[in-house]
């Protein structure tokens, strides 16, 4: 079982409009609702790849009930979310059909009480022994300590479970020092962490700060990985056009899938890039175009750097 942690789950809403214009009224051509939050997206992709996966974190209010109802229909996915008094947030993606651009609106999430946080820590400790890997993903909702991910990384390492971290800002900075097995920032998050805008130098610096392996997302240019075995750049055959929301989460799913399948790093990166590109072709985060994934997997270039 792969465990994904989404402390700030969400109900994802995707609106499609012909052209998004400020100060104008828009007719929405399509609305898509999906369970969301980075770790939830990761879990749905992993389940679609055939892995048994468990989701934990918080869900509250009417939006939380909607998220859990949707998750109950996903094969191979186990819901281990905990109740929160506050309502689960919504995230809204508005897709401009003419330009292909996506505008994202993210609510902050519910206030988590000390008692709710303590209940989560107990649940996390219960789930760790049965996990083959754990992913800690996304933002922290209000009330959760800023050093929370560092503590969760240390607990996973103490249990002998490989841990991947995908967050940003101060939570990332503090958690890197706890020595996660894999850190997956995007280029901006990596530059904020290290102060370097050279991706290769920044990935190596992040490793010196404590991360065992750093895999940086370079958007349409693919992934750059600095590992103990070497460094590689993996790139799709061409830039993809579509909705990029969730592409990074699919990359995380590919990295985790490759980890538990014990693939060598070049193959893990190829899987991650192919899944990420295939997600851009899908209508919503947490999904990917299966036919495109199979085709792209053979076309991803992976080179040593």
């Amino acid at each position: 079982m792969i465990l994904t942690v989404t402390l700030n789950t969400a109900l994802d809403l995707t609106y499609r409009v012909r052209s998004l214009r400020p100060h104008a009224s828009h007719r929405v051509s399509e609305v898509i609702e999906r369970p969301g939050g980075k770790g939830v997206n990761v879990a749905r992709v992993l389940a679609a790849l055939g892995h048994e996966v468990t989701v934990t974190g918080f869900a509250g209010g009417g939006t939380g009930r909607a998220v859990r109802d949707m998750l109950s229909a996903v094969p191979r996915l186990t819901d281990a979310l905990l109740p929160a008094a506050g309502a689960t947030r919504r995230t809204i993606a508005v897709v401009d059909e003419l330009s292909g651009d996506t505008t994202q609106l993210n609510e902050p999430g519910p206030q988590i009480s000390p008692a709710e946080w303590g209940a989560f820590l107990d649940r996390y400790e219960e789930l760790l022994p049965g996990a083959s890997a754990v992913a800690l993903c996304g933002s922290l909702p209000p009330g959760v300590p800023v050093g929370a991910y560092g503590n969760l990384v240390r607990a996973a390492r103490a249990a002998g479970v490989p841990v991947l971290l995908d967050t940003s800002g101060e939570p990332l900075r503090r958690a890197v020092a706890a020595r996660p097995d894999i850190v997956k920032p995007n280029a901006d998050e990596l530059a904020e962490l290290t102060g370097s805008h050279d991706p290769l130098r920044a990935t190596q610096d992040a490793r010196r700060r404590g991360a065992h392996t750093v895999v940086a997302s370079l958007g349409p240019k693919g992934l750059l990985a600095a590992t103990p075995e070497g460094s590689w750049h993996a790139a799709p055959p061409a830039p993809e056009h579509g909705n990029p929301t969730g592409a990074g989460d699919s990359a995380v799913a590919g990295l985790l899938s490759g980890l538990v399948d014990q693939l060598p790093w070049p193959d893990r990166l190829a899987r991650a890039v192919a899944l990420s590109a295939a997600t851009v072709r899908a209508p919503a985060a947490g999904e990917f175009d299966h036919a495109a994934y199979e085709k792209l997997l053979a076309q991803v270039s992976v080179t040593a750097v």
Side-chain angles (χ1 to χ4, degrees):
M1 175 269 288
I2 300 174
L3 176 63
T4 73
V5 173
T6 313
L7 297 175
N8 213 0
T9 55
L11 178 64
D12 284 348
L13 302 172
T14 302
Y15 295 150
R16 300 186 71 88
V17 300
R18 178 168 174 77
S19 177
L20 182 62
R21 304 181 310 280
H23 317 299
S25 177
H26 297 79
R27 186 175 297 278
V28 176
S29 61
E30 183 182 25
V31 180
I32 301 172
E33 284 191 346
R34 295 289 187 274
K38 293 180 73 64
V40 171
N41 294 336
V42 171
R44 291 172 57 222
V45 173
L46 285 168
L49 290 171
H51 295 281
E52 296 294 327
V53 59
T54 296
V55 174
T56 191
F58 297 102
T63 49
R65 286 192 297 274
V67 166
R68 301 189 80 168
D69 287 346
M70 293 177 187
L71 289 177
S72 67
V74 180
R76 293 179 292 276
L77 187 149
T78 299
D79 172 2
L81 295 167
L82 284 90
T88 292
R89 67 193 176 124
R90 295 163 298 178
T91 64
I92 300 172
V94 183
V95 179
D96 184 317
E97 294 175 339
L98 284 181
S99 69
D101 291 337
T102 299
T103 299
Q104 192 82 16
L105 303 172
N106 296 328
E107 295 180 357
Q111 180 79 26
I112 301 301
S113 71
E116 289 168 342
W117 179 240
F120 168 79
L121 292 176
D122 290 342
R123 175 67 58 86
Y124 183 69
E125 292 282 357
E126 292 169 1
L127 291 168
L128 275 178
S132 56
V134 58
L136 308 174
C137 302
S139 60
L140 301 178
V144 172
V146 70
Y149 279 139
N151 292 333
L152 299 182
V153 168
R154 282 184 281 271
R157 289 182 58 83
V161 180
V163 56
L164 182 152
L165 175 67
D166 183 13
T167 190
S168 60
E170 187 64 13
L172 172 61
R173 188 186 70 80
R174 295 201 185 193
V176 162
R179 304 189 63 80
D181 295 272
I182 304 172
V183 173
K184 208 275 320 159
N186 62 34
D188 290 340
E189 293 162 351
L190 187 60
E192 182 183 2
L193 173 67
T194 65
S196 174
H197 291 273
D198 179 305
L200 183 58
R201 180 179 302 170
T203 55
Q204 293 166 343
D205 182 66
R207 288 198 65 223
R208 286 191 290 271
R209 290 168 186 255
H212 190 67
T213 289
V214 179
V215 181
S217 174
L218 306 179
K221 295 182 180 179
L223 298 174
L224 178 65
T227 83
E229 290 80 31
S231 296
W232 291 272
H233 176 227
E240 293 290 336
H241 300 285
N243 181 5
T245 306
D249 303 330
S250 290
V252 169
L255 295 172
L256 286 169
S257 175
L259 170 66
V260 299
D261 288 345
Q262 300 183 326
L263 298 181
W265 268 108
D267 292 341
R268 294 189 206 181
L269 295 170
R271 181 177 290 184
V273 168
L275 279 170
S276 181
T279 296
V280 175
R281 300 188 187 183
E287 301 172 2
F288 62 95
D289 184 315
H290 288 255
Y293 165 64
E294 295 293 343
K295 183 177 180 180
L296 287 162
L297 188 58
Q299 298 176 336
V300 173
S301 65
V302 183
T303 56
V305 294

